[in-house]
């Protein structure tokens, strides 16, 4: 019976996502990914070329999913930040993989097209909203976008010693803090 290539690739991507989230690029092992995916290392190299190629595929798929699931709302940036927060809560691996990407790929000079295109469109949407007076101009569009993105990930980017101080803060409260903080930026 022939194997389903798409199903194999999907299993490899899911296993790799979890492996990269836990161990980063350097610490991840293709043999563990293959075992969890019920595949073999040869399939990883066949479909993705290398461990780096597999990471690239995971990162791009994760970014595409986020961009598609959470479109920007320049006329309601606080709620956009809240929806980004929701996305991070539902997919905790996103911030971990993004952190590994920053740590292990920052000096590579490689830019991910989907992220670059998405951020360019978001900056343009913010600039347009600022031009028509729907958003304040205190921050340039790219800075405002960066602040919104970072505030939306505030709760998932903390060190354990800070988390210990706010232990017990429920998800609804954390989301509201994000929304309120972005709203404060816009006053």
């Amino acid at each position: 019976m022939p194997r389903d290539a798409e199903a194999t690739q999907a299993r490899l991507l899911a296993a790799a996502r979890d492996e990269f989230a836990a161990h980063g690029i350097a610490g991840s092992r293709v043999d563990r990914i293959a075992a969890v995916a019920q595949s073999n290392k040869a399939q990883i190299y066949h479909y993705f070329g290398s461990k780096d190629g597999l990471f690239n595929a995971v990162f791009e798929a994760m970014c595409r999913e986020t961009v598609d699931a959470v479109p920007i709302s320049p006329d309601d940036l606080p709620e956009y930040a809240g929806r980004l927060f929701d996305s991070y809560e539902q997919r905790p691996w996103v911030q971990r993989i993004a952190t590994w990407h920053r740590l292990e790929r920052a000096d590579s000079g490689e830019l991910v097209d989907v992220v670059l295109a998405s951020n360019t469109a978001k900056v343009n949407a913010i600039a347009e909203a600022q031009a028509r007076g729907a958003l304040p101009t205190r921050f340039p569009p790219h800075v405002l976008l960066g602040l919104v993105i970072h505030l939306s990930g505030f709760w998932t980017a903390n060190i354990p010693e800070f988390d210990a101080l706010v232990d017990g803060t429920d998800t609804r409260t954390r989301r509201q803090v994000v929304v309120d903080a972005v709203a404060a930026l816009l006053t």
Side-chain angles (χ1 to χ4, degrees), residues 42 88 124 169:
Y88 299 149
N124 291 339
T169 305

Side-chain angles (χ1 to χ4, degrees), residues 3-64:
R3 295 188 184 255
D4 183 350
E6 285 184 24
T8 300
Q9 288 177 41
R11 286 193 317 273
L12 287 168
L13 287 169
R17 178 199 71 204
D18 295 343
E19 178 77 7
F20 289 131
H23 304 287
I25 303 168
S28 290
R29 300 290 173 254
V30 291
D31 55 337
R32 288 192 302 240
I33 294 168
V36 169
Q38 299 175 336
S39 186
N40 60 60
K41 293 190 297 187
Q43 292 297 337
I44 291 171
Y45 297 109
H46 172 72
Y47 292 122
F48 304 102
S50 65
K51 182 170 70 168
D52 282 339
L54 179 57
F55 180 84
N56 292 344
V58 167
F59 189 76
E60 185 167 325
M62 179 189 80
C63 292
R64 212 173 281 290

